[in-house]
Amino acid sequence: MSLKDISTSVPKKDHSGKVSGQLPYISDVKVENMVYGVLVRSQVAYGKIISIQLPNLPEGYEAVGAEDIPGPNFVKIIKEDQPIFANEWVNYIGEPILMLVGKDLNILYSLLKEVKVIIEEHQAIYTLDEAIKQKSAAGVIMASYEFGESLETVSAIEQGAHQIIEEEYDTGYQEHVYLEPQGMLAIYKDDEIEVQGSMQCLYYIKNALLSALACGDDEVRVVQSPTGGGFGGKEEFPSMMACHVAVAARAVKKSVMLVFDRSEDMVVTTKRHPAKLNYRTALDKVGNILSLSVEIFLDGGANVGLSSVVLQRALINSAGVYKIPHFHAKGYVLKTNTVPNGAFRGFGAPQSFAGIESHLGHLSKLANIEPLEYKRKYLVKQGDPTITKGIFRDPILVEDMIEDLLKTSEYKKKKQEFQRFNQQNLRYKKGIGTSLFLHGCGFTGSGERDHIKATVKLVKSKDGIVMLKISNSDMGQGILTTLCKIVAKELDLPYEDVLYPYPDTKVVPDSGPTVASRTTMIVGKLLERAAKKLKAQWQSGVDQEVVEHYVHREMIPWDEKTFTGDAYPAYSWGVNFVELEVDTLTGNVKLEKVYGNYEVGKVIDDRIMKGQIDGGLAQGLAYGYLEKMTSKQGKIQQKSISDYGPPTSLDVVPIESKVFDNPYADGPYGAKGAGELTLIGGAPAVQAAIEDALHTTFQQIPITPEVIIESLWMKEGEEG
Amino acid sequence: MIKFTLNGKTEETNAPATTRLLDLLRDDFELIGTKEGCGEGECGACSVFVNNLLQNSCLIPIGSIAGAEIQTIEGILETKKFKILDESYSDAGGVQCGYCIPGMIMASAALLSKNPHPSKAEIREGISGNLCRCTGYNMIVDAINQAAKKGDGIW
Ligand code: FES
Ligand code: FES
């Protein structure tokens, strides 16, 4: 198959293996001399380990703990605050203390019950609200940033303002529910530990292993298994599991498999950070915004992990897609004695967009202007500064995208229809909500240049087959297909002649992690350049190899301390409209129609893009009204899929979407990032639609039936 | 000893009667197409046919399958029906991470055998016991809709 237009869809590389179920995920793998591992975990949120008493272990069963770690006892992420096995203190319920290994999982589970860990309990911080109260205590603030206009200027403006509006907004946990639970296998060989598993970031894992095992570069090797969904949940968390199995394999000299069941996965793995966002806005007489101050608190859980970077993205997005005069923001990651939170599709942006879209919606009501119209007054334009004193360099098509959706959805007519419907119906109420959003593509600031330094390689065989040698993971988003398309098109080769085997650090250079909507734009561009180079030197009948390194396009340099500069090289954009019906008797929300217009530069594969839109929106919508996870006294309360409630086929409705072309010079064929963007607009549009239906306001997501019923009761009380 | 038919062949096992059918299939018969997503009957990744009925194999103790006819995804791979589903899922873009997919294929086949001309609403209903976290379902619904049309007469 030769490729005419890059966007035209092709069959996916991994289709057959997946549809037949014969492609082995990590839990499908068995190797010789393999034992299983189970983890002894803390049942206490914060305390000191006094003693550990093991039962008599049958022959072939062993315990592995901190003393078996050859290197330092932490999982190398950013800060060294996450132990591989708890040493002396435990900081959250579920923290790993030691591992039991042996042949039979049933025996391991019964041994697990007999392990006695005595922990002296100390006073823990269980919630974000408690952490905010104790913010000044040592160690509670794990990261913080502040930027924008000086507070003096802002307060001078506030003094002259007609009114000041303050709002507090809360967002909850979100659980990834990748359908394949986490799993990792360490294959033991005398001179090498090979770790295979479900993962997004091979070199994060490799670096964590080099540190934990204190070994040479050629003594560890990381191979990605087909990965049953990631959504950020397999970004940093697998590094810890990899350390567990690798340390254990070294200690017992056998291959060790660690696979979570669903409840373990739900209780101990990272989640989307719960957040509190405070808005303080000065308005003039007619409701125009004079200044806006934002304060963001993220619940980091017990370890900082990636939370500081998540906070950065949350802050950078704290003004949404708007140009706000006199903007100030600060944010904190606070420590609580709960399961550490981490990466999740959107990475801090979904919280910020839910908050700012909600706030602007509420301001529009004060100004008595239709919400979408109010928001459009503040929309950023090409050439405008960003809130971090960067620049929106490229054309921005959001106005066209809105206009188009107003037409397709017959917005005005629908609004009138719904109004009539609501007047005639006591029980059911219909509403329309909108959201406007963007996503910065790639790592924040100079991350690509300073930390990642991506390298890609193309290897061509004598018979003209070209192989991609990169460290990025296909976790369902389709890069096995899209990246091959880019290379095939550039080389004028049939798509079938370009191959991308599951990556193995023995043979692939570090092209960076599979995160931050960077893979298509950054790695894809490097591959495009590599392909151009290969094409120029192409010789038939010989083996050839080309390598390309990341080149940074200097813009306004990012300074993390002052929080200024171009936070991202490029932005992708989106607009969502949601129509829904609320049952005021039960509080149930039924989606009726969902629209999405997006701009991601250039689409590399139409069908794959549609898959990202539908899947991302399903997660984003559900984040707003369906998915609820809570923790009580440090314990996650939802231990099964149905307790938590991700959408089923009955919850999702057809999504009408369109993608606008706006090629970006530094992306392959003009492509920018797309994977995270599609999640971000769901929740705020759902909230706005529920508010529209009920003529009320909410200061939180998810807006579950309980929240709706409570608000209706309150409204009734007020109206007497 | 428990005797049963698996993908058309008579088989037997000495595994304890409380063993989950899912484990028997995966561990003893190395049929990896049946996946475990939850182990609690909530996701459908482990869907198989027991006497032609769609069932979650994680909830079935093998003590209850004596004499039963079990069919896994591996047992339908060579059929025309599978071929049509395979093509339709590809054309509609119904497959992302793939972990839910064998279960979805089984659910699709079950639905179409019962109702060869389902409406979109009936398709949604038919796969509502199968969780997919990647696709948002719409492209899977399209795939089944296409398969119904392409395979008209064979379901
Ligand atoms: S594994 Fe059986 S229903 Fe989820
Ligand atoms: S394709 Fe990933 S869960 Fe369905």
Side-chain angles (χ1 to χ4, degrees):
Chain A
M1 177 181 291
S2 70
L3 303 162
K4 285 205 188 74
D5 180 13
I6 191 81
S7 306
T8 307
S9 301
V10 300
K12 288 177 87 171
K13 289 273 184 200
D14 50 2
H15 176 79
S16 297
K18 285 181 172 175
V19 83
S20 63
Q22 302 311 297
L23 183 73
Y25 297 78
I26 193 63
S27 58
D28 300 327
V29 175
K30 289 200 175 76
V31 295
E32 227 176 293
N33 212 359
M34 181 176 100
V35 293
Y36 290 94
V38 294
L39 288 159
V40 175
R41 298 178 178 279
S42 172
Q43 304 299 321
V44 165
Y46 181 42
K48 197 169 174 183
I49 300 176
I50 304 296
S51 68
I52 300 172
Q53 215 184 318
L54 293 175
N56 279 334
L57 297 176
E59 163 122 23
Y61 289 76
E62 291 178 68
V64 179
E67 63 285 355
D68 296 300
I69 304 168
N73 182 7
F74 62 81
V75 184
K76 195 165 185 250
I77 300 178
I78 295 178
K79 281 198 182 140
E80 302 169 357
D81 72 341
Q82 169 106 53
I84 298 169
F85 292 113
N87 262 330
E88 199 188 345
W89 288 87
V90 288
N91 282 287
Y92 63 96
I93 292 174
E95 181 161 3
I97 297 172
L98 53 88
M99 192 183 210
L100 299 179
V101 297
K103 264 235 139 32
D104 188 322
L105 260 179
N106 290 323
I107 296 177
L108 285 169
Y109 283 126
S110 56
L111 289 171
L112 198 57
K113 287 197 200 111
E114 292 172 46
V115 179
K116 290 206 174 58
V117 185
I118 311 286
I119 297 176
E120 174 188 287
E121 242 185 293
H122 286 243
Q123 184 57 47
I125 300 179
Y126 293 121
T127 64
L128 183 57
D129 283 328
E130 284 167 43
I132 293 172
K133 279 195 204 112
Q134 298 180 39
K135 197 166 95 209
S136 46
V140 177
I141 298 181
M142 297 199 286
S144 74
Y145 304 98
E146 183 166 5
F147 66 102
E149 199 107 23
S150 78
L151 283 174
E152 291 78 59
T153 316
V154 171
S155 68
I157 287 163
E158 285 181 354
Q159 246 138 57
H162 173 68
Q163 60 173 338
I164 311 278
I165 300 297
E166 285 188 279
E167 273 201 299
E168 197 178 297
Y169 188 82
D170 293 293
T171 67
Y173 278 118
Q174 190 175 22
E175 169 71 11
H176 305 87
V177 209
Y178 28 69
L179 205 62
E180 179 210 21
Q182 305 261 6
M184 203 63 72
L185 164 69
I187 300 175
Y188 179 80
K189 292 173 210 154
D190 283 337
D191 54 351
E192 180 190 80
I193 301 282
E194 177 183 332
V195 169
Q196 298 185 355
S198 196
M199 62 180 73
Q200 295 177 223
C201 309
L202 281 80
Y203 275 88
Y204 282 4
I205 293 178
K206 184 170 175 193
N207 291 333
L209 292 174
L210 286 174
S211 162
L213 299 180
C215 65
D217 195 72
D218 55 351
E219 292 172 81
V220 287
R221 167 178 190 176
V222 180
V223 183
Q224 188 215 346
S225 306
T227 298
F231 317 117
K234 293 169 183 171
E235 176 168 342
E236 76 278 27
F237 190 86
S239 296
M240 175 150 70
M241 292 179 80
C243 288
H244 289 148
V245 289
V247 166
R250 262 281 184 89
V252 305
K253 297 196 169 17
K254 285 178 196 145
S255 299
V256 179
M257 173 80 95
L258 176 62
V259 176
F260 291 169
D261 66 15
R262 180 60 59 184
S263 62
E264 185 170 19
D265 197 300
M266 291 186 74
V267 173
V268 307
T269 63
T270 51
K271 304 171 194 325
R272 189 184 304 289
H273 296 73
K276 182 181 284 298
L277 304 101
N278 295 326
Y279 298 91
R280 184 182 160 93
T281 303
L283 298 175
D284 70 9
K285 257 201 215 90
V286 288
N288 290 316
I289 300 172
L290 301 175
S291 70
L292 171 54
S293 301
V294 183
E295 192 178 35
I296 298 178
F297 298 98
L298 295 185
D299 179 347
N303 303 115
V304 70
L306 295 174
S307 296
S308 57
V309 197
V310 174
L311 175 63
Q312 288 174 17
R313 203 179 265 273
L315 282 168
I316 291 163
N317 287 300
S318 56
V321 293
Y322 308 113
K323 187 181 175 191
I324 305 284
H326 308 292
F327 184 82
H328 178 91
K330 63 179 161 188
Y332 307 87
V333 176
L334 301 184
K335 172 168 174 156
T336 60
N337 294 105
T338 57
V339 60
N341 295 309
F344 194 146
R345 196 177 199 173
F347 210 73
Q351 292 95 319
S352 268
F353 274 96
I356 191 70
E357 287 294 285
S358 163
H359 186 59
L360 256 78
H362 299 165
L363 295 180
S364 77
K365 285 170 195 160
L366 289 174
N368 226 337
I369 299 177
E370 204 278 326
L372 190 57
E373 214 177 293
Y374 187 80
K375 290 177 187 172
R376 286 170 89 172
K377 295 203 305 179
Y378 295 97
L379 252 188
V380 291
K381 295 186 186 58
Q382 184 177 17
D384 276 348
T386 68
I387 53 173
T388 60
K389 301 191 177 133
I391 293 177
F392 287 108
R393 289 193 167 67
D394 300 315
I396 296 172
L397 308 187
V398 180
E399 273 296 342
D400 301 343
M401 289 152 64
I402 296 172
E403 277 302 325
D404 180 78
L405 269 192
L406 286 172
K407 268 193 224 107
T408 336
S409 71
E410 302 187 296
Y411 184 78
K412 289 227 171 81
K413 197 170 128 211
K414 277 275 172 58
K415 276 229 151 178
Q416 284 165 2
E417 268 175 36
F418 284 9
Q419 219 166 18
R420 238 175 293 132
F421 178 92
N422 291 348
Q423 275 160 6
Q424 286 159 8
N425 269 278
L426 267 181
R427 177 167 172 183
Y428 296 101
K429 303 285 179 190
K430 289 181 193 273
I432 309 183
T434 65
S435 63
L436 311 178
F437 48 98
L438 58 72
H439 196 69
C441 307
F443 267 89
T444 302
S446 48
E448 290 290 343
R449 182 194 61 197
D450 298 341
H451 303 300
I452 306 300
K453 306 181 181 105
T455 300
V456 307
K457 198 199 271 185
L458 289 178
V459 175
K460 166 185 157 288
S461 67
K462 285 191 191 72
D463 47 3
I465 301 292
V466 174
M467 288 233 237
L468 276 59
K469 301 284 182 190
I470 54 174
S471 63
N472 294 94
S473 298
D474 192 313
M475 51 190 130
Q477 85 281 41
I479 61 170
L480 292 183
T481 302
T482 49
L483 296 181
C484 285
K485 278 179 85 175
I486 292 169
V487 171
K489 178 144 173 76
E490 206 49 56
L491 286 170
D492 261 328
L493 283 181
Y495 164 68
E496 294 75 11
D497 289 0
V498 179
L499 306 178
Y500 176 3
Y502 281 93
D504 169 351
T505 58
K506 263 267 130 83
V507 292
V508 303
D510 187 358
S511 58
T514 314
V515 303
S517 299
R518 68 180 288 278
T519 307
T520 304
M521 186 175 91
I522 305 274
V523 183
K525 186 72 187 179
L526 284 175
L527 287 167
E528 186 193 70
R529 277 182 16 216
K532 277 202 168 85
K533 200 161 153 189
L534 179 59
K535 195 174 185 184
Q537 5 174 305
W538 188 278
Q539 282 174 285
S540 318
V542 295
D543 295 322
Q544 283 178 286
E545 216 177 272
V546 296
V547 171
E548 275 293 311
H549 301 283
Y550 178 72
V551 184
H552 198 69
R553 183 160 70 121
E554 206 46 87
M555 301 172 297
I556 300 171
W558 175 252
D559 180 342
E560 196 183 300
K561 281 208 188 67
T562 58
F563 224 74
T564 54
D566 276 312
Y568 303 102
Y571 301 84
S572 290
W573 304 82
V575 180
N576 283 150
F577 284 19
V578 169
E579 299 167 11
L580 51 73
E581 184 180 270
V582 186
D583 180 344
T584 59
L585 204 63
T586 61
N588 282 332
V589 168
K590 204 174 91 215
L591 299 178
E592 289 196 332
K593 188 90 217 203
V594 175
Y595 300 88
N597 275 358
Y598 300 90
E599 189 267 281
V600 295
K602 171 83 182 164
V603 170
I604 298 297
D605 187 286
D606 289 328
R607 207 158 46 199
I608 287 177
M609 180 65 204
K610 184 163 158 46
Q612 289 299 302
I613 293 172
D614 282 24
L617 249 173
Q619 286 178 0
L621 293 163
Y623 179 48
Y625 78 108
L626 214 53
E627 295 180 16
K628 187 174 170 76
M629 180 168 263
T630 51
S631 112
K632 201 166 152 197
Q633 306 283 97
K635 245 197 192 124
I636 293 291
Q637 298 295 296
Q638 291 74 14
K639 297 190 170 80
S640 71
I641 289 177
S642 62
D643 282 351
Y644 175 60
T648 70
S649 52
L650 296 172
D651 296 306
V652 186
V653 294
I655 294 169
E656 211 166 300
S657 61
K658 202 180 282 175
V659 190
F660 286 57
D661 260 8
N662 186 17
Y664 165 62
D666 281 338
Y669 292 92
K672 299 186 284 195
E676 294 176 279
L677 174 77
T678 56
L679 182 144
I680 295 170
V686 161
Q687 177 183 339
I690 298 175
E691 291 184 347
D692 184 49
L694 301 178
H695 291 285
T696 183
T697 58
F698 293 92
Q699 275 75 28
Q700 73 191 87
I701 48 166
I703 304 173
T704 57
E706 297 74 41
V707 175
I708 289 177
I709 294 298
E710 199 188 305
S711 106
L712 290 172
W713 275 96
M714 284 193 12
K715 204 172 144 197
E716 223 169 83
E718 278 163 24
E719 285 165 4
Chain B
M1 183 183 305
I2 299 163
K3 279 196 181 162
F4 55 97
T5 314
L6 176 57
N7 294 333
K9 275 211 323 237
T10 313
E11 302 282 3
E12 53 190 45
T13 176
N14 286 317
T18 53
T19 306
R20 303 184 303 173
L21 175 57
L22 172 64
D23 297 327
L24 182 80
L25 295 172
R26 292 177 51 81
D27 297 341
D28 298 12
F29 291 94
E30 295 183 356
L31 297 170
I32 62 169
T34 308
K35 307 288 184 197
E36 175 163 0
C38 70
E40 298 190 339
E42 297 179 339
C43 76
C46 64
S47 300
V48 297
F49 296 139
V50 179
N51 296 329
N52 288 320
L53 281 180
L54 188 70
Q55 301 275 356
N56 291 325
S57 63
C58 69
L59 292 184
I60 299 179
I62 59 169
S64 71
I65 62 156
E69 229 178 87
I70 314 291
Q71 207 170 27
T72 67
I73 180 104
E74 287 84 358
I76 67 166
L77 290 180
E78 300 304 324
T79 63
K80 183 96 200 283
K81 292 178 181 178
F82 174 78
K83 200 166 167 279
I84 288 171
L85 283 166
D86 176 1
E87 278 169 22
S88 309
Y89 268 72
S90 176
D91 288 348
V95 181
Q96 289 192 32
C97 83
Y99 201 76
C100 71
I101 294 298
M104 279 288 182
I105 294 285
M106 298 302 273
S108 310
L111 166 68
L112 291 173
S113 335
K114 246 194 308 183
N115 179 0
H117 304 286
S119 67
K120 292 238 172 149
E122 286 167 335
I123 296 177
R124 284 183 188 279
E125 185 67 46
I127 57 165
S128 62
N130 290 65
L131 199 76
C132 173
R133 189 55 159 168
C134 300
T135 64
Y137 305 102
N138 291 331
M139 293 163 93
I140 290 178
V141 173
D142 288 347
I144 298 172
N145 192 38
Q146 272 186 34
K149 297 208 170 97
K150 267 192 217 157
D152 200 14
I154 72 157
W155 303 106

